[in-house]
Amino acid sequence: MNVLTISKIKDGTVIDHIPSGKALEVLRILGIRRGSRERVSMAMNVESKKMKRKDIVKVEGKFISEEELNRISLIAPDATINIIENFEIRRKFRVRIPERVEGLLRCPNGNCISNDGKEPVTSAFRIEKSENLVFAVCMYCGKKIYEIEEYLV
Ligand code: CTP
Ligand code: ZN
């Protein structure tokens, strides 16, 4: 059975194949919160051909930045971005996990130099992938982050 859970959009961005339950985090990354004016629809825990269950986010009139894409890739490494113009898919691409990110994650290690308020140090992490697990390694202290969404700035 093929059920259309949320309607198609005219112009904007569809972020598809988000891991189940992560749609709210994607909305947060896109800066969509209480009081936002964008027309947004989302579906959580819907059927998917490629995954058991997935989330989808659709934002009308939204242009997604490189930095937002990087953040999204860390929590939704298999997400597909669909750029919609006049109801047609203009562009479809997978997010790409960057090799390193600067200033996007906070190091969990309180003694790390990147957490020392006195030093003007921007956090820097190497992103690694093993199987379908994505984790980040602090380039200053070596601390590994497995629950990436908890440390996204
Ligand atoms: N979509 C939309 N508005 C449009 C066109 C597409 O909201 N005007 C959405 C679809 O609902 C779907 C996503 O964009 O969630 C991708 O559309 P499509 O490529 O047609 O679907 P699939 O073939 O299932 O995509 P994929 O191969 O990436 O799984
Ligand atoms: Zn660190």
Side-chain angles (χ1 to χ4, degrees), residues 7-70:
S7 27
K8 303 222 163 195
I9 64 171
K10 182 167 186 286
D11 294 288
T13 302
V14 174
I15 302 154
D16 201 353
H17 307 114
I18 301 168
S20 213
K22 302 268 166 109
L24 292 172
E25 191 59 34
V26 170
L27 291 175
R28 191 181 77 85
I29 290 168
L30 296 176
I32 292 158
R33 52 181 65 88
R34 188 184 320 151
S36 285
R37 309 280 304 162
E38 292 93 342
R39 183 185 298 186
V40 180
S41 48
M42 68 141 171
M44 285 175 78
N45 308 313
V46 295
E47 312 280 334
S48 162
K49 281 167 268 168
K50 295 181 194 159
M51 311 157 87
K52 267 208 220 88
R53 292 257 191 262
K54 67 172 181 181
D55 289 4
I56 308 173
V57 166
K58 302 188 181 189
V59 189
E60 197 88 45
K62 171 80 185 172
F63 175 77
I64 199 165
S65 73
E66 198 66 36
E67 187 162 303
E68 288 168 332
L69 282 177
N70 283 344

Side-chain angles (χ1 to χ4, degrees), residues 63-123:
F63 175 77
I64 199 165
S65 73
E66 198 66 36
E67 187 162 303
E68 288 168 332
L69 282 177
N70 283 344
R71 284 193 164 90
I72 290 169
S73 77
L74 299 181
I75 59 151
D78 298 318
T80 314
I81 310 293
N82 299 271
I83 311 294
I84 316 291
E85 278 175 34
N86 201 19
F87 289 107
E88 305 266 305
I89 299 174
R90 259 298 136 233
R91 243 156 45 84
K92 181 195 282 280
F93 57 92
R94 289 268 302 270
V95 296
R96 204 177 52 79
I97 301 167
E99 275 168 32
R100 54 178 283 170
V101 294
E102 285 180 22
L104 296 193
L105 292 166
R106 177 173 57 77
C107 185
N109 172 8
N111 294 322
C112 179
I113 188 163
S114 67
N115 281 323
D116 182 345
K118 283 175 265 162
E119 300 283 343
V121 177
T122 306
S123 77

